[in-house]
């Protein structure tokens, strides 16, 4: 099951755990009313509390607590009705209070789990805990040759730190974990999952060992901000550790940075240089006590989660597990698919199960393929769910063939127009008029009298040739079923 | 009315209501007296223009009949309170020049009710001390002197500027803050009344933090009634302070019924220390006799963990302080000493220059007790003992309504006399337990020692039961008939 890495002296297993910092989607910061939106002018979203002015006090933002609880519930985790905010003390210019308010001994969320899928295999990764904490500000070292500037917009913004068990055994699993976590957070809307803007950052712990042996010494790689970098960092770090051990050295527990440009990790500080954070309960805040009834109420606000949705797509709609997995990976994709399906069943009167596979194949194959090629996301798809459903309906109703549908779809991608309009303008309506089809068939048979004779003398395979000729004459618009039936009748007459 | 300064706060309030005199006249008298008392060094910033503007507003409100309960009452404000656009330095060099753009909730409540700000009163730097000798503006002198002595005495601390101002009648009342005794001990040293209310009764928002789990604002005034009036305005729930208690604020003045018949007064035996001077022990006994005479029942109680209170306090308070004071780093406001040596160098130089010796000592102690490897032995243990101390009071209050003890183990001592920090800490021995338990407590003057210096008695009440404390305080006040006053040697 575990993927092993071959060293010079045998196989190695890599052991990975992760701490993900996810910014809570909220209007205001964790302990102040200042805005938490991204990208504003430096120091324009800073309250007296965020700047740690003398005498200022934190007040918990209930929305952040609610989102943390929702996230905990979505991770199938224990919600701790009693949790405590602690101060993590250290000095830095972008940490105005001189401490970060975090949760150390009593986090708001305890044990949970995430199911990941790698190469068709499903695995469980344990969640150790989730806690709420403040983000720090930002030191800007590149604004002046000798001075550092500080932007406090981010100071005090709410983060969820989500800590996994060391349950992952390959960079692929780590990547799948991060992607899955992001999917869940985006489904429930507790974090926008935007890794480029820093809404999600991962610290990853990596160690190596001989299979079956106790855990090796780990190194922590800080602030990795994409799935690709995460996997690169793990690959590099595992190889580095294996090389050291195989050369007779030993691993020093340390904090390392990933240099994306060079694709390598390098030492940031050793265990000896680690801060003594002097955690203690923040005396400005009372312990956070939640009522079970409130948690139950919050639980009711959770949408259908990706795993449940995938299972339903397979069981109720008859989708293939592959299509179902692809569709649920982004909540926007699933929403698009479901919107198309809902409209199609409504306008066509067909049961969802009957048309779901066709729609799924089209969304996963044609739409995603086209979007990928155009570098677009589903949110700015040129083909709206409504238009997509209309296109499907034209097919289901037999007004256009699958082949014509692909052609119409190309036009839809280019213009964003409604399929009916394209079909009308281009005269692509399927010919279902049996008289018209019969006339064309007569034409074809008349033009190919020799082939008709051959067919009648037993060369059955020529049937396809006649169909092709009829389609050619109708530019593919003839209803294939009617063509088949009429041809058969005429040829056997 | 000629001698405005002789009026109590309640008398001045009533006189203003009757329009016997104006808030402007009262303010003028106090501004003049404040300026004439600079020898005491009680004020670290005088705000006469603000006082006059506020007095004018009070006169208008009084004329219009919509005056607040404190309309026209001139007050001194401890420098720990952030006051908008007025220097607020916690008497520390590290906050040099700091003028907040916001007003603390407690002072905002006072201004809402019409009070007038005379200025900011000096204090021990960051409220750490019992003598007000460590203010960046220099030591404050107690208006009281020993009989026939010219020796300058301390006004207690850390709210020593406030206590000195009230005792010298250069403020009609003042705000203080009390972390381990910083309202009560200076009140005792200056013959004034000081109330530390229940933790959470007054908002801490806008008060420069020393030890968050202990800091409480309260009034220092000339009489129990005056203190009750001020407390009513200062107190109240504040959603901006998560530790603020959401409970109605009673009319504390109305608690002064004088009737304590049947009330049970506890006398904690652990407060009879061997080091206590005989005259303080005697005053305590006198207090007991007064209450008995007034119909109260005296009950001996035990608070078995009292002996650990001081040690506990001097772990918990510095621990919180070490973290609370981390924000004074020279980055955003106040003092910055920067010789271009980089961030850590700037921190070191700024904090070395900005903090005084006692503040540094407590930051070091606090950092130490929170450090890995020491946390369990010190901070955690102290928290456990704190719980036991609080439990002692809970037990005692099952049988009694209020506790009576001395406020401090001595009367005011000379400036510069106490140089050993531990000896200084011992000033808090009787006040610290109620702080650790978050209970309301009051010090009120009950007599003079042989040298003619005031001594205080302390009343400790149940959580949110300031009313009983005030009621019993009123009875002692009347029985003691404390009328002594310092001679105005300081008047220039």
């Amino acid at each position: 099951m575990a993927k092993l890495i071959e060293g010079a002296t045998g196989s190695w297993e890599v052991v990975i755990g992760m701490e993900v910092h996810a910014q809570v989607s909220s209007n205001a910061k964790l302990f102040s009313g200042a805005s938490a939106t991204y990208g504003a002018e430096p120091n324009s979203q800073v309250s007296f509390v965020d700047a740690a002015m003398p005498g200022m006090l934190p007040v918990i933002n209930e929305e952040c607590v609610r989102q943390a609880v929702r996230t905990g519930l979505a991770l199938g985790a224990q919600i701790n009705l009693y949790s405590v905010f602690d101060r993590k003390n250290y000095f830095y210019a972008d940490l105005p209070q001189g401490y970060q308010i975090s949760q150390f001994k009593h986090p708001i969320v305890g044990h949970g789990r995430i199911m990941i899928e790698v190469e068709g295999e499903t695995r469980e990764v344990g969640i150790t805990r989730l806690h709420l904490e403040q983000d720090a500000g930002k030191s800007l070292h590149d604004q002046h040759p000798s001075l550092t500037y500080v932007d406090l917009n981010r100071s005090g913004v709410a983060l969820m730190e989500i800590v996994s068990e060391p349950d992952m055994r390959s960079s692929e699993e780590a990547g799948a974990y991060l992607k899955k976590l992001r999917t869940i957070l985006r489904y429930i809307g507790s974090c926008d999952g935007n890794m480029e803007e820093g809404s999600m950052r991962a610290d990853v712990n990596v160690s190596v060992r001989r299979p079956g042996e106790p855990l090796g010494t780990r190194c922590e790689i800080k602030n990795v901000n994409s799935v690709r970098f995460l996997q690169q960092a793990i690959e590099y770090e595992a190889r580095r550790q294996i090389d050291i051990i195989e050369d007779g050295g030993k691993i020093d527990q340390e904090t390392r940075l990933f240099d994306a440009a060079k694709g390598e990790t390098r030492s940031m500080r050793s265990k000896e240089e680690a801060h003594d954070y002097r955690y203690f309960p923040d005396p400005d805040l009372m312990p956070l006590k939640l009522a079970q009834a409130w948690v139950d109420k919050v639980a009711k606000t959770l949408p259908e989660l990706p795993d449940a949705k995938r299972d339903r797509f397979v069981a109720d709609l008859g989708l293939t597990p592959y299509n179902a997995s692809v569709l649920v990976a982004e909540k926007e994709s699933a929403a698009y698919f479901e919107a198309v399906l809902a409209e199609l069943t409504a306008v066509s009167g067909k049961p969802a199960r009957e048309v779901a596979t066709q729609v799924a194949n089209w969304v996963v194959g044609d739409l995603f393929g086209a979007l990928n090629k155009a570098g677009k996301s589903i949110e700015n798809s040129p083909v709206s769910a409504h238009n997509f459903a209309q296109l499907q309906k034209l097919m289901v109703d037999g007004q256009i063939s699958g082949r014509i549908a692909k052609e119409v779809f190309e036009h839809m991608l280019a213009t964003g127009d409604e399929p009916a309009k394209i079909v009308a303008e281009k005269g692509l309506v399927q010919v279902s008029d049996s008289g018209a089809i019969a006339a064309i068939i007569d034409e074809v048979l008349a033009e190919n009298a020799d082939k008709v004779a051959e067919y009648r003398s037993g060369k059955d395979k020529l049937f396809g040739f006649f169909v092709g000729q009829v389609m050619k004459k109708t530019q593919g618009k003839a209803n294939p079923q009617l063509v088949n039936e009429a041809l058969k009748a005429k040829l056997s007459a | 009315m000629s001698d405005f300064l002789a009026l109590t706060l309640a008398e001045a309030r009533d006189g203003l209501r009757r329009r016997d005199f104006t808030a402007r006249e009262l303010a003028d008298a106090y501004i003049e007296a404040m300026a004439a008392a600079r020898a005491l060094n009680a004020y670290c910033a005088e705000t006469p223009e603000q006082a006059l503007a506020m007095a004018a507003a009070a006169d208008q409100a009084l004329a219009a009949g919509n005056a607040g309960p404190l309309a026209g009452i001139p007050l001194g404000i401890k420098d720990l309170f952030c006051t908008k656009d007025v220097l607020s330095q916690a008497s520390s060099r590290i906050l040099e020049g700091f003028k907040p753009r916001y007003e603390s909730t407690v002072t905002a409540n006072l201004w809402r009710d019409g009070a007038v700000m005379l200025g900011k009163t000096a204090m021990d730097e960051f409220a750490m001390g019992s003598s007000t000798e460590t203010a960046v503006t220099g030591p404050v002198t107690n208006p009281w002197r020993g009989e026939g002595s010219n020796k300058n005495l301390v006004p207690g601390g850390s709210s020593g500027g406030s206590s000195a101002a009230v005792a010298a009648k250069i403020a009609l009342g003042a705000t203080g803050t009390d972390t381990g005794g910083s309202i009560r001990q200076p009140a005792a040293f200056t013959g004034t009344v000081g109330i530390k209310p229940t933790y959470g009764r007054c908002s801490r928002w806008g008060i420069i933090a020393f030890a968050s789990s202990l800091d409480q604002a309260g009034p220092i005034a000339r009489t129990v009634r005056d203190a009750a009036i001020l407390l009513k305005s200062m107190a109240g729930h504040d959603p901006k302070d998560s530790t603020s208690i959401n409970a109605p604020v009673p009319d504390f003045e109305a608690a002064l019924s004088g009737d304590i018949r049947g009330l049970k007064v506890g006398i904690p035996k652990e407060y009879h220390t061997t080091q206590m001077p005989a005259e303080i022990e005697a005053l305590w006994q006198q207090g007991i006799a007064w209450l008995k005479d007034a119909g109260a029942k005296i009950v001996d109680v035990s608070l078995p963990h009292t002996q650990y209170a001081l040690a506990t306090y001097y772990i918990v308070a510095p621990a919180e302080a070490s973290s609370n004071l981390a924000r004074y780093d020279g980055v955003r406001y106040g003092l910055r000493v920067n010789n271009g040596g980089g961030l850590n160098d700037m921190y070191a130089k700024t904090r070395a220059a900005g903090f005084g010796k006692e503040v540094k000592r407590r930051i070091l102690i606090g950092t130490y007790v929170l450090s890995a490897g020491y946390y369990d032995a010190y901070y955690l243990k102290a928290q456990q003992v704190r719980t036991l101390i609080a439990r002692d009071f809970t037990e005692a209050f099952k049988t009694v309504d209020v506790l009576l003890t001395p406020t401090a183990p001595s009367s005011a001592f000379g400036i510069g006399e106490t140089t050993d920090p531990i000896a200084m800490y011992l000033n808090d021995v009787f006040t610290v337990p109620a702080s650790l338990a978050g209970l309301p407590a009051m010090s009120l003057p009950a007599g003079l020692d042989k040298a003619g210096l005031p001594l205080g008695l302390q009343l400790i009440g149940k959580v949110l039961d300031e009313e009983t404390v005030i009621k019993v305080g009123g009875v002692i006040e009347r029985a003691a008939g404390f009328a002594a006053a310092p001679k105005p040697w300081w008047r220039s």
Side-chain angles (χ1 to χ4, degrees):
Chain A
M1 183 173 73
K3 191 183 139 193
L4 298 181
I5 300 175
E6 288 310 312
T9 61
S11 303
W12 295 87
E13 184 179 53
V14 58
V15 176
I16 303 157
M18 223 182 295
E19 291 162 24
V20 173
H21 289 90
Q23 182 181 330
V24 178
S25 299
S26 63
N27 296 326
K29 296 182 179 180
L30 183 54
F31 296 111
S32 86
S35 170
T37 50
Y38 177 81
E41 278 293 295
N43 293 315
S44 64
Q45 299 183 161
V46 186
S47 74
F48 293 135
V49 175
D50 308 324
M53 299 303 281
M56 292 300 98
L57 297 171
V59 176
I60 187 78
N61 177 347
E62 185 181 324
E63 175 60 12
C64 298
V65 174
R66 203 177 71 88
Q67 291 293 18
V69 168
R70 293 177 80 238
T71 307
L73 292 166
L75 298 175
Q78 158 93 33
I79 304 301
N80 294 325
L81 299 180
Y82 176 92
S83 67
V84 175
F85 286 101
D86 296 287
R87 291 185 184 177
K88 178 180 179 179
N89 295 283
Y90 66 96
F91 283 96
Y92 202 63
D94 57 24
L95 187 76
Q97 293 167 139
Y99 53 84
Q100 174 196 34
I101 306 178
S102 181
Q103 296 188 301
F104 184 53
K105 271 193 194 154
H106 302 283
I108 186 164
V109 174
H111 280 280
R113 72 200 60 81
I114 282 183
M115 305 306 294
I116 59 167
E117 224 178 292
V118 174
E119 287 162 14
E121 236 182 290
T122 302
R123 284 201 58 180
E124 179 179 314
V125 177
I127 301 289
T128 313
R129 57 185 282 165
L130 174 156
H131 68 252
L132 280 167
E133 63 183 28
Q134 298 175 300
D135 205 348
K138 204 170 159 190
S139 292
L140 308 168
H141 302 292
D142 54 0
Q143 307 286 306
H144 187 278
S146 60
L147 298 176
T148 294
Y149 290 176
V150 177
D151 177 8
L152 295 179
N153 281 353
R154 239 172 52 189
S155 167
V157 163
L159 302 177
M160 295 180 282
E161 180 172 325
I162 303 161
V163 183
S164 85
E165 296 286 325
D167 284 352
M168 290 157 276
R169 295 291 179 272
S170 69
S171 61
E172 291 82 4
E173 288 186 5
Y177 169 81
L178 188 57
K179 278 193 254 181
K180 186 62 176 284
L181 177 59
R182 181 173 175 276
T183 300
I184 293 170
L185 297 178
R186 285 170 47 75
Y187 259 69
I188 64 170
S190 64
C191 170
D192 67 20
N194 194 328
M195 298 190 81
E196 296 87 70
E197 291 178 3
S199 299
M200 251 182 109
R201 314 190 281 271
D203 298 342
V204 57
N205 283 293
V206 177
S207 64
V208 296
R209 65 176 173 187
R210 299 287 191 191
E213 286 191 358
L215 291 173
T217 303
R218 67 172 195 272
C219 290
E220 184 183 29
I221 309 160
K222 280 274 184 203
N223 269 329
V224 187
N225 65 357
S226 83
V227 172
R228 192 163 63 91
F229 291 159
L230 173 79
Q231 298 193 193
Q232 279 178 13
I234 293 168
E235 298 282 348
Y236 177 89
E237 180 60 18
R239 179 53 66 185
R240 186 188 72 88
Q241 293 184 16
I242 291 167
D243 289 349
I244 289 174
I245 300 170
E246 290 193 329
D247 286 351
K250 69 181 200 34
I251 305 302
D252 295 321
Q253 187 176 333
E254 60 182 359
T255 303
R256 300 179 68 84
L257 277 177
F258 179 66
D259 183 332
K262 292 187 180 151
E264 59 185 39
T265 66
R266 62 167 185 271
S267 185
M268 189 172 138
R269 60 174 178 260
S270 70
K271 192 185 175 188
E272 288 70 37
E273 295 165 295
H275 295 292
D276 178 356
Y277 290 119
R278 291 171 282 121
Y279 282 100
F280 76 107
D282 191 329
D284 285 333
L285 292 159
M286 307 301 268
L288 186 60
K289 290 178 188 163
L290 308 176
Q292 186 60 50
W294 183 80
V295 174
D296 294 344
K297 208 174 89 191
V298 168
K300 294 208 176 81
T301 69
L302 284 183
E304 185 181 32
L305 295 169
D307 287 353
K309 201 181 274 291
R310 192 206 44 222
D311 293 350
R312 180 169 63 80
F313 283 179
V314 172
D316 295 1
L317 300 178
L319 301 194
T320 61
Y322 172 79
N323 272 353
S325 293
V326 173
L327 285 172
V328 303
E330 294 285 345
K331 77 168 182 187
E332 289 81 7
S333 312
Y336 188 97
F337 168 74
E338 292 193 279
V340 171
L341 193 60
E343 185 169 342
L344 180 58
T345 53
V347 296
S348 70
K350 304 253 184 210
R353 201 181 162 88
E354 202 172 293
V355 292
T357 296
Q358 176 190 314
V359 174
N361 286 336
W362 266 84
V363 171
V364 171
D366 300 280
L367 178 63
F368 288 0
L371 291 176
N372 252 342
K373 216 157 82 187
K376 285 184 172 158
S377 68
I378 191 122
E379 294 105 302
N380 40 47
S381 162
V383 179
S384 70
H386 167 71
N387 285 352
F388 199 92
Q390 292 301 321
L391 177 68
Q392 298 295 314
K393 180 180 182 296
L394 292 176
M395 272 193 286
V396 169
D397 289 352
Q399 292 184 41
I400 58 173
S401 65
R403 208 173 67 80
I404 295 291
K406 306 248 167 182
E407 196 184 327
V408 174
F409 184 63
E410 288 301 319
H411 290 297
M412 290 168 74
L413 282 169
T415 64
D417 281 346
E418 286 190 12
K421 185 178 164 219
I422 295 168
V423 167
E425 277 176 11
K426 311 242 171 218
L428 296 172
V429 180
Q430 182 156 285
V431 178
S432 296
D433 174 345
S434 43
I437 289 174
I440 292 165
I441 289 175
D442 288 343
E443 250 176 67
V444 168
L445 296 185
E447 286 164 16
N448 297 283
D450 50 335
K451 297 263 180 359
V452 173
E454 280 179 50
Y455 177 86
R456 286 192 173 138
S457 64
K459 212 168 174 188
D460 289 359
K461 278 185 187 153
L462 279 170
F463 187 76
F465 165 78
F466 297 119
V467 173
Q469 290 303 305
V470 175
M471 284 307 197
K472 204 169 157 191
K473 275 194 186 287
T474 59
Q475 286 110 44
K477 289 182 290 188
N479 182 324
Q481 208 177 331
L482 292 180
V483 172
N484 278 342
E485 284 165 13
L487 251 179
K488 246 176 208 157
K490 289 207 184 259
L491 285 168
S492 58
Chain B
M1 285 311 297
S2 57
D3 194 1
F4 290 118
L5 306 185
L7 298 174
T8 65
L9 190 152
E11 287 163 356
R13 173 191 65 184
D14 298 342
L16 286 164
R17 288 266 167 75
R18 288 192 305 267
R19 313 297 290 140
D20 293 348
F21 48 89
T22 64
R24 169 66 193 241
E25 289 173 288
L26 194 61
D28 281 338
Y30 272 95
I31 290 167
E32 189 275 325
M34 172 170 70
R38 294 203 179 115
L40 295 175
N41 213 18
Y43 283 92
C44 51
E46 296 179 9
T47 56
E49 284 167 21
Q50 202 144 340
L52 292 177
M54 292 169 107
D59 278 328
Q60 270 182 10
L62 286 160
N66 57 8
L70 292 178
I73 301 298
L75 301 177
I77 302 299
K78 190 179 182 180
D79 202 31
L80 204 61
F81 291 81
C82 287
T83 42
K84 194 166 189 276
D85 301 327
V86 174
L87 274 181
S88 305
Q89 285 189 222
S91 284
S92 178
R93 198 189 156 202
I94 206 149
L95 277 169
E96 205 168 69
F98 178 64
K99 290 182 179 176
R101 285 166 50 203
Y102 46 89
E103 185 77 35
S104 85
T105 298
V106 164
T107 48
N109 289 348
L110 291 169
W111 313 146
R112 172 203 65 205
D113 284 354
V116 168
M117 176 160 80
L118 289 167
K120 301 298 282 286
T121 60
M123 48 184 278
D124 277 304
E125 184 183 5
F126 277 103
M128 297 174 185
S130 305
S131 65
T132 315
E133 293 172 285
T134 66
V136 68
T137 46
V140 175
T141 304
N142 194 330
W144 289 83
R145 281 176 169 174
E147 204 73 62
S149 165
N150 285 330
K151 187 163 86 174
N152 282 338
L153 304 177
V154 303
S158 66
S159 309
S162 288
S163 68
V166 173
K169 296 190 167 69
I170 54 174
L172 203 32
T175 64
T177 64
D178 190 314
T179 304
S182 280
I183 287 174
R184 292 161 285 164
Q185 183 258 17
F189 276 21
T190 56
T192 55
V193 177
I195 301 178
K196 179 203 91 74
T198 306
Y199 180 79
R201 184 63 106 171
C202 293
S203 169
R204 292 186 297 112
W205 194 88
I207 299 175
I208 297 170
F210 159 20
S212 312
S213 76
L214 296 154
D215 296 344
Q216 253 305 288
I220 294 178
R222 285 182 217 165
T223 67
V224 175
R225 181 178 299 275
D226 288 0
I229 292 168
L230 283 174
L231 180 59
K232 165 101 169 101
S233 286
M234 293 167 74
H237 177 243
D238 181 3
K240 289 187 289 187
D241 173 2
S242 307
T243 61
S244 166
I245 296 178
N246 194 354
V249 179
D251 181 356
F252 294 120
E253 195 183 358
L256 287 162
S257 65
D259 182 4
I260 59 163
R261 283 172 300 175
L263 199 91
K264 294 194 216 65
V265 179
I267 309 300
K269 67 171 189 213
E270 289 78 7
Y271 284 58
H272 295 279
T273 65
T274 46
Q275 297 97 327
M276 187 148 64
E279 48 190 339
I280 291 180
E281 178 69 42
L283 183 77
W284 191 9
Q285 294 309 320
Q286 178 63 66
I288 292 169
W290 287 330
L291 294 179
K292 216 187 270 179
D293 288 348
K297 216 174 142 222
I298 305 301
V299 183
D300 286 325
V301 296
S302 173
L303 302 169
H305 297 92
T306 299
Q307 59 174 313
Y308 305 113
L310 206 59
T312 301
Y313 174 84
Y314 277 96
I315 290 171
V316 173
E320 294 181 12
S322 71
S323 178
N324 281 335
L325 271 57
R327 65 187 56 198
Y328 307 106
D329 56 6
V331 174
R332 296 168 312 287
Y333 46 75
L335 182 72
R336 175 189 289 185
V337 183
N338 183 11
N339 305 333
L343 185 63
N344 285 335
D345 183 70
M346 182 181 93
Y347 286 155
K349 291 199 167 107
T350 300
R351 290 166 67 85
F355 289 136
K357 221 161 94 180
E358 183 60 25
V359 172
K360 283 177 194 156
R361 178 181 293 119
R362 297 205 197 186
I363 290 173
L364 287 173
I365 292 170
T367 304
Y368 180 82
V369 300
L370 289 174
S371 297
Y374 300 99
Y375 181 91
D376 288 358
Y378 292 100
Y379 183 76
L380 196 62
K381 186 61 74 184
Q383 289 294 14
Q384 289 162 345
V385 176
R386 183 176 183 177
T387 305
L388 295 175
I389 289 167
R391 193 177 300 162
D392 283 354
F393 282 105
T394 308
E395 284 303 309
F397 282 126
K398 282 179 182 165
T399 51
V400 299
D401 301 302
V402 69
L403 299 167
L404 179 71
T405 78
T407 306
S410 74
S411 60
F413 47 86
I415 290 177
E417 266 177 18
T418 306
T419 50
D420 173 20
I422 303 291
M424 191 66 92
Y425 297 169
L426 283 169
N427 272 285
D428 302 332
V429 66
F430 299 138
T431 47
V432 149
S435 294
L436 289 169
L439 300 171
M442 167 198 273
S443 176
L444 74 163
L448 299 175
D449 69 0
K450 285 194 295 278
L453 294 172
L455 294 171
L457 286 176
Q458 175 180 232
L459 290 159
I460 303 171
K462 297 176 189 172
V463 166
L464 289 177
D465 190 16
E466 287 84 0
E467 288 168 283
T468 299
V469 169
I470 287 165
K471 179 160 67 178
V472 178
V475 170
I476 294 178
E477 184 179 51
R478 189 175 327 150
F482 186 85
K487 293 180 188 74
W489 55 265
W490 60 86
R491 271 195 84 96
S492 51

